[in-house]
Amino acid sequence: MGLYKITKVLMILGVSLKMDENSREIVTNLMISGFNDAVNEAGTKVTGGQSVLNPWVMIGGTAIAQARESEVIMPNYAEEGDILVLTKPIGTQIAVNLMQWYQNSDRYWDKAKEFISEDDCIDANETGVKFMSRLSKNSAFLMQKYKAHGATDITGFGVRGHAQNLVSAQKNEVDFVFHSMPVIKHMASFDKKVINFKLIEGYSAETSGGLLIAFNKDSAEGFIKAVSYTHLTLPTIYSVQISVVAVSLKKKK
């Protein structure tokens, strides 16, 4: 949608009943502090929400924006010859699960360590956390500047699932053709070794994934340069050197 001016945020907070009182207070305060830091970075503030008691820890929220209709980029105007740009690498689900297995030293890690080192596991998790914690505000702003033809976020359905939903909504009869993909280092080669996350097929879920945005060729090049300069470098991404998924759009057969 390209909406980057957030009016307010509502926060939902789950306070864990399984923690002792001291740990619960420390963790909850740190979670709220981190959430507020991200909201401040987005240029807005938390104005309300809800707190609940849970067995597990939870935090999330809803961002609310007000905009003129002319400021909203509709998602369904991709054209033949457009380029799709992906603003974050995929592979976060594997990276996070690997780190949990490693920290718990469980049976999954006993199998996983046959295929990946401790250092590579930690590096993958750090890369995933870095991108998951990065806002898409700059990308949304640059969607306006470079006149995007449509976009979707990449989350629970994986990059392929969300791309399929996006292409099915297009007014023009086009196909999305994927040629390459930015992936967190080692995650593509690790996929299916312990659990089939379906990363290679494009269905592995992403948490706080990037935006998949359609531009004409010239605008895509300008967007990539601007995003790379403002906040996105990919020093540890598998098989690519720039923040672009090389995808072309063609007329549907």
Side-chain angles (χ1 to χ4, degrees):
M1 292 294 189
L3 301 180
Y4 59 92
K5 297 177 182 178
I6 307 302
T7 306
K8 62 182 178 181
V9 172
L10 302 178
M11 180 176 67
I12 182 168
L13 176 68
V15 180
S16 175
L17 293 172
K18 289 190 173 183
M19 291 182 175
D20 62 76
E21 185 175 350
N22 184 58
S23 298
R24 183 165 58 240
E25 182 176 355
I26 292 171
V27 170
T28 302
N29 286 335
L30 287 172
M31 288 169 56
I32 294 172
S33 176
F35 190 91
N36 281 325
D37 286 345
V39 170
N40 290 336
E41 184 183 347
T44 186
K45 59 184 178 180
V46 178
T47 61
Q50 183 181 14
S51 297
V52 296
L53 297 175
N54 264 340
W56 53 88
V57 176
M58 177 180 67
I59 194 165
T62 300
I64 299 172
Q66 292 179 325
R68 296 182 177 88
E69 185 176 356
S70 60
E71 296 174 314
V72 178
I73 297 175
M74 300 306 294
N76 52 353
Y77 287 92
E79 300 175 354
E80 181 182 9
D82 276 0
I83 300 295
L84 292 177
V85 178
L86 183 61
T87 62
K88 296 183 184 182
I90 62 173
T92 57
Q93 184 182 41
I94 300 179
V96 169
N97 275 272
L98 262 174
M99 192 62 183
Q100 289 179 336
W101 300 343
Y102 168 67
Q103 290 175 328
N104 294 333
S105 298
D106 60 18
R107 62 187 178 90
Y108 291 113
W109 178 248
D110 289 340
K111 181 67 173 178
K113 65 185 180 182
E114 299 176 16
F115 306 101
I116 191 167
S117 69
E118 292 183 9
D119 287 343
D120 287 341
C121 169
I122 293 170
D123 287 345
N125 181 71
E126 289 178 350
T127 299
V129 169
K130 179 180 70 175
F131 282 101
M132 285 188 288
S133 61
R134 183 161 288 161
L135 300 179
S136 291
K137 180 181 178 180
N138 285 343
S139 296
F141 167 75
L142 292 169
M143 283 174 61
Q144 297 280 354
K145 179 176 180 179
Y146 291 98
K147 303 186 184 307
H149 292 165
T152 181
D153 62 336
I154 306 301
T155 50
F157 297 122
V159 65
R160 186 173 180 179
H162 286 285
Q164 287 173 328
N165 289 339
L166 184 62
V167 75
S168 67
Q170 298 307 306
K171 292 183 177 294
N172 295 317
E173 292 190 357
V174 294
D175 289 328
F176 290 180
V177 182
F178 286 72
H179 303 298
S180 62
M181 185 69 60
V183 184
I184 296 173
K185 193 175 183 180
H186 300 301
M187 297 302 95
S189 59
F190 183 80
D191 190 29
K192 299 182 177 65
K193 291 295 192 293
V194 179
I195 293 175
N196 184 5
F197 290 95
K198 297 187 178 180
L199 179 68
I200 303 304
E201 294 88 346
Y203 291 119
S204 182
E206 302 295 330
T207 299
S208 186
L211 302 178
L212 186 66
I213 313 170
F215 296 100
N216 67 40
K217 186 175 183 299
D218 290 339
S219 293
E221 292 174 355
F223 177 89
I224 292 165
K225 291 178 181 178
V227 170
S228 298
Y229 176 76
T230 55
H231 74 286
L232 186 60
T233 56
L234 305 181
T236 58
I237 304 308
Y238 177 80
S239 78
V240 297
Q241 295 179 341
I242 56 174
S243 56
V244 59
V245 50
V247 179
S248 60
L249 276 67
K250 64 180 183 180
K251 285 188 175 179
K252 185 177 292 185
K253 294 180 180 179

